Amino acid sequence: MQAAPLLKDLVLVGGGHAHVHVLKSFGMKPMPGVRLSLIGRDIETPYSGMIPGFVAGRYSFDECHIDLARLAAWTGARLIQAEAIGLDRANRQVLLKDRPPVSYDLLSLDVGAAPSLDAIPGAAAHATPVKPIAELGRRWLAFVERMKGRHAALRIVVIGGGAGGVELALAIDHRLHEIAPAATIDVTLATRGEILTGTAASARQAMRAILARRGIRLVENKSTTRIERGAVQLDGGERLAADDVFIVTEASASSWFATTGLPLDDRGFFAVGDTLRSTGDENIFAVGDCATVLTHPRPKAGVFAVRQGPPLADNLRRVLLGQEPKPFVPQRRYLSIIGTGDGRALATRGGWSVEGAWVWRWKDHIDRKWMRMYREPPAKPMDMNARAAPPDPALADADARRLLADIGMRCGGCGAKVGASVLARVLARLGPSPGSSVTIGLDAPDDAAMIEVPPGQALVQSVDFFRTFIDDPFAFGEVAAVHALGDVWAMGARPHSALALAVVPAAAERLMEEDLFQMLSGARRILDQAGSALIGGHSGEGPEAALGFSVNGLVDPARALRKGGLKPGDRLVLTKPLGTGVIFAAAMRGRARGTWIAAALASMRQPSSAAAEALVAAGAHACTDVTGFGLAGHLAEMIRATGRGDEVSVDLHLGALPALDGAAELFAQGFASSLQPENLRARHLIDGMDVHANHPKLPLLFDPQTAGGLLAAVPPGCVLDIDAVEIGVVRTRDQSRSFIHLLA
């Protein structure tokens, strides 16, 4: 069923606690005509309530993190992995680091906060801040590996006496005693005031007793004046010896908040009303630690961010429909449960507190229950009928109303082209290609481009085109360009120019322009780096986004690399890992981990220009790029092209095949690309399939690759100046053997 045309862009910046609820809410009950996009720097978002348990070793990294790629796949949201650095409110755009801005109609910010390192001299150089929590998680895992089995004394100082600082100190102490039982562990908790300020006096007394029982030194009512290598300087001249320092002090606002022109509170956080909408821009909401509700100020605690999720989702829906948002009043009294790292916890609410192992079990149950809502697929399938239903007319502006009137009778043929005004604006935003040697290109209103081939050079041409398999149009544009240029690089040619063929889904005019601009911007980044000018193309409407290129390259005919030319004794090398097919087959079903997807995309967006140059310099005898036919199919092409395929064969080492993280695991779970069965037909060319039937890397031979690496035959003993893996050797063919002989 075809989805409803897009009319509005709802953009969430940050994967905080409130935003993960919005994602699931809109996934379970979509608004036809609304595209939901999540922009986040990290592909996995931590649940703050479980991080002390993670530090203490009671949770794995996965158990306390929400995989945003999976959540987005389950809920139908578009995920854009990028870092926000500002807003262009006049043009309704989110400014991003190292890529073009993303437009919005309605925006919500949930980007968190971090301890202020500037307030303590030396902190930035010699301390680890507890936030961003995602960075703490990765650094802590590395720290634990370094400390395992340690015998030397270890001195840790935690700065900050709030609930977060107390929990972290107790968690660190417990974990270090577990992994380094022979070491003397000395943990100190230092705070400029009392610990657990704002909680019941009984809770503070109980926590002091717990710290004393555990042997953790508590220093209250002393500010940290400086952090040096190996020491923490306190107010009054006291000096604490420290091998590592962790900071859990009062959160501070990111510096870019002040550049937005939005009203801020006296600490620099976004000022919002009781509807969670900015007090200075009706198109922007802000929640979590990055915002302050002026009418109901509350501490920067995860409990409030969690509670803001449902009212935020409801108010975003209301504003999209032209209705007034409803006020939200957070609770004044709330339950705080502080884990002590050893399977016990202290609970406090109002004037009472209680401590014990059962309190930890209670907290553990609450936290795991919340995480299950966002880490596991919804029990109820997403409402796909709602996604395809006509949009609510209340969403539509004048441009969108024209689109709604055309639903069901969109033209084909030339009538399906993207409008001239949209195309003109996109080309103007892209600008001319730098350093182009094209005679007639985008800068001239002619019907076709014209290029001149320099004397002594041959023109190589290729074409590739495919529909999108990721939600980020900029990243898709990068991958499409790398994929198309692969054939040029495989021949040792220098990319020269490219014609684009772009398809975008029917949407309001400004949204079609934005999609086309993002795709071509990503492509231009790769083309420009490769020295290839974008000289023209064609754009049109379709059911889903698609992009391809006809590419041109120049090469000295005498130095051109071909598929044929394998020589006995040659070493086969591969310049990129395998597995993109199975990873994105699983990703389409919401089953691939976000880190696997991110690593696969990084590989696919990596140009092969340096690899091609290195192979030519090394005197490679043959080369091809590994794409849709898989490694086995493309290797068979190389063998066939060498003397009609009856002169050489290849010994291929399965264990040497480089694999993307997650690929083997997904194959073991039964996932595979839809093209895998077709590629399996090449198995009759391979000896050893039965012997190695259970080898975990065997399916990689037939996995179709997008923007894959170069497969080349290089002379024995040559040194390559690139990352390439030797996977086999070329032999004189024994006619009793097949083209490819598998070895372990």
Side-chain angles (χ1 to χ4, degrees), residues 400-471:
R401 279 194 291 272
R402 288 192 294 272
L403 177 66
L404 282 174
D406 290 342
I407 290 178
M409 47 185 175
R410 302 293 290 174
C411 291
C414 285
K417 292 178 67 172
V418 172
S421 58
V422 170
L423 196 55
R425 288 194 298 269
V426 168
L427 295 178
R429 291 169 67 183
L430 288 171
S433 295
S436 171
S437 60
V438 175
T439 304
I440 298 175
L442 286 177
D443 56 342
D446 286 277
D447 291 331
M450 185 169 70
I451 60 177
E452 294 183 10
V453 180
Q457 296 284 298
L459 181 69
V460 299
Q461 294 182 305
S462 184
V463 63
D464 266 298
F465 178 82
F466 48 77
R467 59 192 181 92
T468 187
F469 56 96
I470 54 175
D471 294 320

Side-chain angles (χ1 to χ4, degrees), residues 490 561-566 570 619-624 638 642 711-714:
L561 297 176
R562 304 286 300 276
K563 286 184 181 179
L566 302 178
D570 280 350
H621 295 146
C623 186
T624 189
M638 295 179 76
T642 301
L711 175 64
V714 298

Side-chain angles (χ1 to χ4, degrees), residues 632-643:
H634 289 286
L635 179 54
E637 287 182 331
M638 295 179 76
I639 296 172
R640 285 194 183 101
T642 301

Side-chain angles (χ1 to χ4, degrees), residues 649-689:
S649 63
V650 168
D651 285 349
L652 193 65
H653 296 273
L654 282 175
L657 296 183
L660 290 163
D661 288 345
E665 184 174 332
L666 290 171
F667 278 127
Q669 294 174 14
F671 290 101
S673 166
S674 57
L675 189 57
Q676 184 101 350
E678 177 73 18
N679 289 349
L680 272 167
R681 294 180 180 178
R683 63 181 177 269
H684 72 282
L685 304 173
I686 304 173
D687 286 330
M689 289 283 292

Side-chain angles (χ1 to χ4, degrees), residues 158-189:
V158 177
I159 300 172
V166 170
E167 277 194 301
L168 186 65
L170 288 161
I172 289 174
D173 176 77
H174 175 79
R175 186 62 171 148
L176 290 179
H177 277 96
E178 277 190 338
I179 64 174
T184 300
I185 308 298
D186 179 13
V187 177
T188 300
L189 176 63

Side-chain angles (χ1 to χ4, degrees), residues 258-284:
T259 68
T260 63
L262 291 169
L264 308 175
D265 70 0
D266 55 2
R267 292 169 54 198
F269 296 103
F270 295 116
V272 300
D274 54 9
T275 64
L276 307 178
R277 179 191 256 175
S278 169
T279 57
D281 193 324
E282 63 181 12
N283 296 309
I284 298 177

Side-chain angles (χ1 to χ4, degrees), residues 44 91 219:
E44 295 171 312
N91 293 305
V219 180

Side-chain angles (χ1 to χ4, degrees), residues 141-363:
L141 288 175
F143 178 79
V144 166
E145 286 302 312
R146 294 197 308 271
M147 294 300 111
K148 283 182 178 178
R150 181 183 172 108
H151 289 79
L154 183 60
R155 301 158 299 181
I156 302 292
V157 175
V158 177
I159 300 172
V166 170
E167 277 194 301
L168 186 65
L170 288 161
I172 289 174
D173 176 77
H174 175 79
R175 186 62 171 148
L176 290 179
H177 277 96
E178 277 190 338
I179 64 174
T184 300
I185 308 298
D186 179 13
V187 177
T188 300
L189 176 63
T191 175
R192 66 181 181 182
E194 289 188 283
I195 59 167
L196 303 181
T197 302
T199 62
S202 62
R204 295 197 296 275
Q205 293 171 359
M207 186 52 70
R208 291 188 183 105
I210 292 170
L211 293 169
R213 185 171 70 239
R214 293 275 294 276
I216 297 174
R217 183 188 177 193
L218 175 62
V219 180
E220 295 183 277
N221 300 308
K222 285 193 176 181
S223 298
T224 300
T225 58
R226 186 174 187 82
I227 300 176
E228 304 166 351
R229 182 181 297 276
V232 173
Q233 192 76 32
L234 299 180
D235 188 28
E238 184 175 359
R239 190 173 183 272
L240 303 175
D243 296 300
D244 285 277
V245 181
F246 295 83
I247 296 183
V248 201
T249 53
E250 190 173 59
S252 63
S254 295
S255 58
W256 67 262
F257 293 0
T259 68
T260 63
L262 291 169
L264 308 175
D265 70 0
D266 55 2
R267 292 169 54 198
F269 296 103
F270 295 116
V272 300
D274 54 9
T275 64
L276 307 178
R277 179 191 256 175
S278 169
T279 57
D281 193 324
E282 63 181 12
N283 296 309
I284 298 177
F285 286 72
V287 290
D289 287 356
C290 72
T292 299
V293 183
L294 298 181
T295 50
H296 306 290
R298 295 291 187 272
K300 303 292 184 187
V303 62
F304 296 110
V306 168
R307 295 292 181 89
Q308 286 177 337
L312 173 64
D314 181 58
N315 280 341
L316 291 173
R317 291 181 188 275
R318 294 181 66 84
V319 172
L320 285 166
L321 293 173
Q323 302 169 0
E324 283 298 311
K326 291 182 178 180
F328 164 67
V329 180
Q331 72 272 33
R332 289 186 175 276
R333 300 175 65 191
Y334 61 96
L335 176 69
S336 175
I337 305 180
I338 302 170
T340 57
D342 58 353
R344 301 174 68 86
L346 173 70
T348 177
R349 187 175 189 271
W352 65 266
S353 64
V354 63
E355 187 256 346
W358 70 269
V359 181
W360 166 258
R361 292 193 295 271
W362 182 23
K363 172 179 169 57

